[in-house]
Structures are given as structure tokens and as C-alpha cells.
Amino acid sequence: MRQEAAAGIIPPAPPPDAPRPGGTPILQVAGVSAGWERRRVLREIDFALYPGEVLALMGRNGSGKSTLQRVISGLHKPTGGQVLLHGQDTS
């Protein structure tokens, strides 16, 4: 595997319908909306993170990356939706 990485060979991604590793999600964001004052920044965000997965959050400046991270960490209250950490609602 190291030799492949050193050679720049990237292993193929699993097919989109491949079973998720680990069964139940560690983190689940369901229908999360949030914003600042009267500006709505996040609109119904949905995703789940399963054991063994890695998630990258990318976007332009002002697209809501930090707001989403603040909602997930509990520093900002969402205006809608749920954040579940190991099945427990943290929102």
C-alpha cells in the first residue's frame, strides 16, 4: 500500500451502494438549518459519518463551514433539524 501511495496510485473508491462500515453512524446531521441574526447560512444539511469513514468539509468563504462546525460542536443552536452524536441529540 505504501509503495502504491508513493507511486501516486490511488485505490478505487467503493461503489456508491457499498455497505457502510460499522453499522450505526457516529455522527448524524439531519435537516440542520442555522444562521446569524436574520441571515440563514445553512439550509437543511443532511449527512452521516460512520466508523472508519473520513469526511472533508470544503467550500468557499462564507459558505457555512464554520457555522456547521459550531452547530455540530454545540456552540451554535440550529434553527431546525437535529445533530445526533452516537444516537443522542446534541442540538
Side-chain angles (χ1 to χ4, degrees), residues 14-26:
D17 58 347
R20 299 273 189 175
T24 58
I26 296 172

Side-chain angles (χ1 to χ4, degrees), residues 2-90:
R2 281 186 175 178
Q3 293 171 345
E4 291 173 347
I9 300 171
I10 300 171
D17 58 347
R20 299 273 189 175
T24 58
I26 296 172
L27 174 67
Q28 188 169 5
V29 174
V32 167
S33 297
W36 300 97
E37 296 175 5
R38 294 183 185 187
R39 182 180 164 104
R40 198 165 159 198
V41 178
L42 303 175
R43 292 177 179 88
E44 299 180 17
I45 304 298
D46 293 301
F47 69 88
L49 183 63
Y50 290 82
E53 288 186 325
V54 176
L55 176 72
L57 182 60
M58 300 184 298
R60 295 174 158 240
N61 291 346
S63 63
K65 300 177 302 291
S66 296
T67 302
L68 180 58
Q69 291 171 349
R70 290 177 60 85
V71 168
I72 290 170
S73 68
L75 296 174
H76 189 85
K77 186 154 178 66
T79 56
Q82 289 183 309
V83 176
L84 302 171
L85 183 61
H86 296 286
Q88 300 224 346
D89 191 349
T90 63

